[in-house]
Structure formats: C-alpha cells, structure tokens
Amino acid sequence: MYRTHHCGALRSTHIDQTVTLSGWMATKRDFGGMTFIDLRDRYGITQLIFNMDTDRGLCEKARGLNREDVIKVTGKVRERSSKNPDRATGDVELVVTDLTILNRAKLPPFTIENDTDGGEDLRMKYRYLDIRRPVVQDQLRFRSKLTIEVRKYMDEQEFLEIETPVLIKSTPEGARDFVVPSRLNPGQFYALPQSPQTFKQILMVAGMDKYFQIVKCFRDEDLRADRQPEFTQIDCEMSFVNQEDILRTFEGLVVHLFEKMINVSLGEFPRMTYDEAMAKYGSDKPDLRFGMEINSFNDSAKGAGFSVFDSADLVAGIVLAGKADEYSNKNMKELTSWVQRPQIGAKGLVYVQWKNDDSIKSTIGKFYDDATLKTWIEAAGGQKGDILFILSGELDQTRKQIGELRLELGRRHDLIKPGDFKPLWVVDFPLLEWDEEMNRFHAMHHPFTAPSLNDIDKMASKDRSVLENIKADAYDLVINGSEIGGGSIRIFDRDLQSKNFELLGFTPEEAEAQFGFLMNAFEFGAPPHGGIAFGLDRLCAVMNGVSSIRDFIAFPKNNTGRDVMIDAPASIDDLQLKELNLNVVDLEKA
C-alpha cells in the first residue's frame, strides 16, 4: 500500500493513528538532531519529523533526500507544538518510523512553490514540474470543477452533449485554418475546426433540439495572453427559440457557475447595443466596473480655429475625477507618450485641468476660453478638481484609442474594485463589416448569422452605406471587459443564406462547394434555431481575476504558438512527406 491518506487529509482527529503517505519532498530543514520535511501531493502538504535520537539511520536517510524525490513514509500522527494556521494540516505532523525512496529526482531548474523563481519559458519547458506548484494545480482543479458544473446545469435544462468531428472541411471565412493532409486522398486536406458551427446547425435540422459540447477548437491566428491556437468552447445550440430565449437560458448558466464556483451573485445582466457600447466606451466589450464614459465634443469643439479638431470625424473626451492637482507636466508627457505608442496610435493628447483653485490649465487654452473649457468638463459629468482628456481623428480609430486610454486610467488609478463582476449583454451587432484591403464585406460574427427581421429588406441594396447598417440578431456576453461568449440566431432558409453568401463575395459555385451540405440540409425542414459559445479558458481566467488563460490549460503554447516542452511544431521525415504526397522540395522553397 502506497498510502492510507493523501497529504492534505490529516487533522487533529487522526492523532495517535499510524498512517502511510506518499508524495514529493518539497522542502527539508535540519535542526541539530531533528529533520523536518514537507511532503507534497496534489491534495496538500504534511510536515514529517525524523529524530536522530530515536532512529539515527532513518534520520540520516531523510537528510540524504533531494528536492522532488518521490518517497513513501509510515509513522504516527501527533499534535504540532507550533501550529501552522495557513495550512489545512497545520495542527498535526507525522513522526516517521519508516521511509522508502520510490524514485530519485534531478535538481529542478526552478523552485516548485507558488512564488517560483522560474520564468515563463522555463516553466513551460518543464510544464510537468510547473504543474506540481499548488497555485497551478488549484487553477486546473477549478477548471475541472467548472466543467462539471456546466454539465450539471445543461443536463438539468435537457441539453444533450454530442461530439462533432475534428477532421472537417476548410472554410475561407474567419481566422486561418490548421490543415491536415490526407494520405488516402492525395492532394486533399482536412481542416481542424475553428468551431463546430455547421455541425451544430445540422444537429438542429436533425431534431436534436438542445445541443451542447465542451469542445476543442483551433485557430491559426496571432496570439495574446487571452488566446491560444487551440482552446476550449462551451458550445451550445437550441431550436424553436428567439434571442430572448437564448439570453435567458445562458444567463442562467453563468449565474449558476458564479454561485457554485466562487459564491458570487451576479445580479442583473444589463443590455447595451453595439452602437451604444462603441460610442460610450470605445469597445464592443466594455468594462463596466467603473464609469468614465466617452463624450463627444463635436458640436462645441469645432469651428474655433483649432485645425486638429475642425478636421476630425470625432472629438471625444473622458473625465478623470479628482486628479487635476496631482498631474504634473511630466505626468502628462508620459501619458501622451503612452497613447502615441504603435499599439494605440494616437497622434497626441489634449487635456484640460480644472484645478481646485478654479484655474484652468490646458494645451488648447489659446483657442478656447476658461469658461468654455469648464462647460466641457461639466457636460462630461465632471467638476472642479477633475481632468478632461481629449482625442480626435477618424471615428472608429478614435473611439478605440480613447477606449484604451479609459482602461489604462482605470488601472493606474485603482478604479477597478477587486472581486467586482459586471456582466453585460451587447446586442444588435452589424451583420457585415467592410474590409478596405480586400474591398469586400466580411461577416462580423460568421456567415450563418441571421439579420434582424427589420433589416432583411436592406440586403437587396447595392449601396454600401445601407449594407453597413444592417443589424444582426447577434449578441455577446461581456464580463469585466472580456468577451466571455458570443452567438446569434442563425439563418435557416436556403434563399436567405444564399443572399448572405452573395453579400460576402461568394459566387454561387463557391457557396455550393463550401457549404452546399448545409444549404441542402435547410431544404429538409430546418427549424428556427440559434446558439452561443463560451470560451471556457477565458471564463476561468475572468472568474479568478487574471488576464492570462495559460495557467488554466494543462499544456499551453507560448506566445509564438510553440509547445516548448515537446518542441512542436516540428519537421517530419521525408518518408512521411512522401506518404502524404507532399513535395519536399516545394516545402523547402515555401
């Protein structure tokens, strides 16, 4: 028997019992005739004691252990004289009477503790060691329990969990596909799914009514802290529903998860249109944990001879409360440099400080008098003691820039309360977005998103401005500035789907070749349907108040998409390439 208990199990009720534990030696401390060892497994840590006076050989054996050696010990539980209130097993310790070394370990390249000295790349290379750290184990444990709660809720709502294929057909819309060559079909390729979208719609045609799946998805796109080339979705679809049915159902799922996992009651889920979100926050995923809404000054700022404002599509500002006397010229220069970084791209930053002595300090004072600038601050909800920051330029670009500035000011001035969660449904997205480089429309969500019923007639227009204003029956769930999930009511009529493909630049032949299987299915009685997909990894991160999803994934890729532990992606040998009918010379040229 390797163990009678795990390393997080022993309590005062076990005193005087003889037990056996197994695990990894985390730390060792020698004090004269006594040696103390912390034994760790995924359940916790137990302190072991070896006494030189009672068993010299056993104590010397313990002193010869290295960090991360795998050992088995037997001994008697006793009460600790100096208890550790920060540890679940802190009231007791194990007086060891027998020690077996199960496996020796090399010296780890970093300390296996919550506060480790290992950098991210090093920890990713030795991910199996990194996972031994309690903080990482807690995050993986959280993810596991979250998926169980998802399944409980969905089962109660009569959803069926159905698997869909991983080897599918490549499609031109959305992110780049990962492709897989087919040995049995020379010159042809599978793709790994960016989502199970078409399959879950076909399941609705098949009468499955309520589907969900916790599913791996793959996108060959540039990476960030909240993106990975492979990620996990909670993928859902329902039949005979409208948008209200879906929002109500999945609002219930999120409320259930927050209550069960972190004991948080989310309260109301307000709704905001896409246009309102962009105008007020410069983002389609606004963080509502603090105010500082964007205000337009187009009417009051233009026409005073300040060419920067006069030539702009948008002059917009946000008010930072109570900091007018604190900001120096140095502060302003630093913040101006921040908005001028390539990631933000602003040309400059205008500010108006209404100081507590009632004076005004501004970069545009020679164009506008103090009284006018004070009315701007008041119009934006500010007062004496506040600062107004203004950006101007092209509409969409300026909104995004000032939205980023808002978030940065919120972080710098601790306007975001820890442990606060603010959910929001963003609705009425545009159906289409124009790509200047490609000179064509793309689907804002995906090609199967239904237009709002009131806008279907607009799809017949040849006017780009009319088409850009078609609203979609689409919705995103946002929490704390992160998109947690997104979905839509789907097109279920072949003619309407064909029209949407036409707007997206597909010829009838291309649409048939790519999606004929779906449009053909629509002709056999497709019900009205819609759904949503949640990012499981991102949901875990948001619920735990962190920005990176990597620690909630057992074996994540780094920021260049590599698995540095197994060194993938990697080349394959010439024989494999030949079997796959891939030309080695052509690949080398590529």
Side-chain angles (χ1 to χ4, degrees):
M1 181 181 295
Y2 284 112
R3 58 186 180 187
T4 58
H5 300 75
H6 56 68
C7 293
L10 300 182
R11 302 290 188 272
S12 297
T13 53
H14 297 99
I15 290 174
D16 292 332
Q17 291 185 21
T18 298
V19 302
T20 298
L21 307 177
S22 291
W24 289 263
M25 196 207 81
T27 62
K28 180 178 62 178
R29 303 174 298 281
D30 295 325
F31 297 104
M34 304 286 287
T35 293
F36 297 86
I37 284 176
D38 283 345
L39 186 67
R40 181 192 67 239
D41 63 12
R42 82 171 177 90
Y43 302 96
I45 295 175
T46 297
Q47 178 170 283
L48 313 180
I49 292 182
F50 298 83
N51 193 324
M52 188 72 76
D53 293 336
T54 57
D55 193 329
R56 186 178 187 87
L58 184 64
C59 191
E60 288 178 346
K61 187 177 182 181
R63 291 185 174 185
L65 292 173
N66 299 318
R67 278 193 297 142
E68 301 307 310
D69 281 350
V70 186
I71 63 174
K72 180 181 79 167
V73 294
T74 298
K76 183 172 285 189
V77 181
R78 78 176 186 189
E79 185 176 7
R80 284 182 63 160
S81 57
S82 56
K83 295 180 172 55
N84 183 349
D86 297 326
R87 186 177 291 176
T89 60
D91 288 345
V92 297
E93 57 194 5
L94 187 68
V95 180
V96 177
T97 57
D98 185 71
L99 165 64
T100 302
I101 301 173
L102 300 175
N103 210 343
R104 287 286 191 177
K106 292 170 61 177
L107 182 67
F110 53 87
T111 56
I112 301 177
E113 298 173 356
N114 285 346
D115 296 325
T116 182
D117 56 359
E120 186 173 48
D121 287 344
L122 185 64
R123 289 187 289 110
M124 291 302 98
K125 182 176 181 179
Y126 297 94
R127 182 61 168 170
Y128 44 85
L129 298 180
D130 193 41
I131 292 175
R132 290 184 193 172
R133 295 194 300 131
V135 64
V136 181
Q137 293 185 346
D138 287 345
Q139 288 163 331
L140 295 179
R141 187 180 298 111
F142 182 92
R143 178 194 175 102
S144 174
K145 290 182 178 179
L146 183 68
T147 59
I148 291 170
E149 290 299 332
V150 169
R151 288 188 165 98
K152 285 181 182 178
Y153 178 88
M154 300 301 278
D155 182 61
E156 289 172 358
Q157 300 297 316
E158 298 185 309
F159 281 78
L160 299 178
E161 185 169 11
I162 303 174
E163 291 185 351
T164 53
V166 174
L167 295 175
I168 65 168
K169 188 177 187 177
S170 182
T171 58
E173 287 292 313
R176 296 181 186 89
D177 288 325
F178 285 101
V179 294
V180 181
S182 171
R183 180 179 60 84
L184 299 178
N185 300 276
Q188 296 185 315
F189 297 81
Y190 296 106
L192 303 180
Q194 296 183 32
S195 84
Q197 182 62 44
T198 55
F199 288 98
K200 66 180 180 179
Q201 289 190 247
I202 286 174
L203 284 171
M204 297 302 101
V205 178
M208 286 291 90
D209 189 61
K210 289 183 175 182
Y211 142 96
F212 89 102
Q213 183 181 188
I214 298 176
V215 59
K216 271 292 181 72
C217 301
F218 307 85
R219 293 179 188 172
D220 187 6
E221 59 185 354
D222 296 335
L223 306 179
R224 298 196 301 256
D226 63 345
R227 286 184 181 175
Q228 285 276 293
E230 55 179 308
F231 58 96
T232 305
Q233 284 187 178
I234 307 168
D235 199 59
C236 315
E237 200 80 3
M238 303 170 68
S239 292
F240 303 110
V241 291
N242 57 30
Q243 178 175 295
E244 186 62 34
D245 297 322
I246 292 175
L247 268 54
R248 186 173 59 250
T249 298
F250 294 103
E251 194 170 302
L253 169 63
V254 176
V255 168
H256 171 84
L257 295 177
F258 271 77
E259 287 178 348
K260 292 293 184 181
M261 296 301 301
I262 59 175
N263 196 30
V264 167
S265 178
L266 287 178
E268 291 187 14
F269 284 54
R271 299 181 189 181
M272 183 182 297
T273 66
Y274 170 87
D275 289 342
E276 183 183 1
M278 295 303 297
K280 287 185 175 181
Y281 300 99
S283 171
D284 60 1
K285 46 181 185 293
D287 191 334
L288 301 186
R289 289 175 292 177
F290 65 105
M292 206 182 290
E293 292 183 5
I294 299 170
N295 294 265
S296 171
F297 293 98
N298 278 17
D299 293 339
S300 55
K302 293 188 175 186
F306 185 43
S307 61
V308 173
F309 286 176
D310 291 344
S311 62
D313 291 338
L314 175 66
V315 180
I318 53 177
V319 167
L320 176 63
K323 301 295 181 181
D325 288 350
E326 297 179 21
Y327 265 63
S328 64
N329 289 336
K330 181 180 179 182
N331 296 140
M332 290 301 183
K333 287 179 180 178
E334 190 277 328
L335 194 60
T336 301
S337 296
W338 188 88
V339 300
Q340 290 176 325
R341 297 179 312 149
Q343 300 94 316
I344 307 299
K347 293 180 179 178
L349 176 65
V350 171
Y351 65 87
V352 181
Q353 291 173 275
W354 186 357
K355 298 200 171 186
N356 285 304
D357 64 4
D358 205 37
S359 65
I360 289 288
K361 182 180 179 182
S362 175
T363 46
I364 53 173
K366 66 179 181 180
F367 297 98
Y368 307 90
D369 60 38
D370 288 359
T372 298
L373 296 178
K374 288 177 182 178
T375 62
W376 289 8
I377 293 178
E378 289 173 335
Q383 58 186 356
K384 184 191 300 184
D386 296 347
I387 309 174
L388 175 65
F389 293 103
I390 301 175
L391 294 176
S392 62
E394 188 272 330
L395 179 67
D396 292 339
Q397 186 179 55
T398 302
R399 281 177 170 174
K400 291 178 181 178
Q401 290 167 351
I402 201 162
E404 290 295 331
L405 175 60
R406 172 184 176 269
L407 294 174
E408 179 65 12
L409 291 172
R411 287 188 287 265
R412 290 187 181 198
H413 295 285
D414 298 322
L415 302 181
I416 300 170
K417 181 182 175 182
D420 196 14
F421 295 96
K422 295 293 184 182
L424 170 72
W425 287 111
V426 179
V427 299
D428 294 342
F429 281 81
L431 181 71
L432 309 167
E433 57 182 342
W434 183 257
D435 187 323
E436 290 287 353
E437 186 175 327
M438 300 290 292
N439 195 37
R440 51 162 288 198
F441 279 112
H442 287 293
M444 176 70 85
H445 273 65
H446 53 62
F448 317 107
T449 297
S452 295
L453 291 176
N454 294 334
D455 285 355
I456 290 178
D457 291 344
K458 294 179 182 178
M459 297 177 74
S461 176
K462 301 298 182 182
D463 187 333
R464 174 178 153 186
S465 63
V466 173
L467 297 175
E468 285 178 327
N469 283 301
I470 298 175
K471 299 300 181 185
D473 210 347
Y475 34 83
D476 280 357
L477 178 61
V478 177
I479 299 179
N480 295 358
S482 291
E483 178 194 332
I484 300 300
S488 66
I489 298 299
R490 321 302 189 190
I491 297 172
F492 64 99
D493 173 80
R494 180 177 182 129
D495 291 341
L496 185 58
Q497 185 65 73
S498 296
K499 180 59 183 176
N500 202 41
F501 283 143
E502 180 185 334
L503 293 178
L504 295 172
F506 287 76
T507 66
E509 294 75 21
E510 288 171 338
E512 181 65 30
Q514 292 290 336
F515 301 109
F517 65 95
L518 179 63
M519 293 192 290
N520 290 339
F522 287 168
E523 296 183 339
F524 289 90
H529 60 282
I532 193 169
F534 297 93
L536 177 64
D537 317 299
R538 193 175 297 173
L539 181 58
C540 288
V542 168
M543 293 177 80
N544 285 273
V546 299
S547 59
S548 175
I549 66 175
R550 289 177 187 167
D551 278 344
F552 295 93
I553 301 172
F555 301 101
K557 307 293 188 291
N558 69 7
N559 58 9
T560 63
R562 294 196 65 82
D563 186 325
V564 295
M565 185 185 73
I566 63 173
D567 194 24
S571 58
I572 59 176
D573 63 40
D574 292 350
L575 179 59
Q576 284 180 288
L577 291 172
K578 185 176 180 180
E579 288 178 337
L580 294 170
N581 299 285
L582 298 175
N583 188 303
V584 181
V585 175
D586 289 345
L587 287 174
E588 288 177 348
K589 289 180 180 179

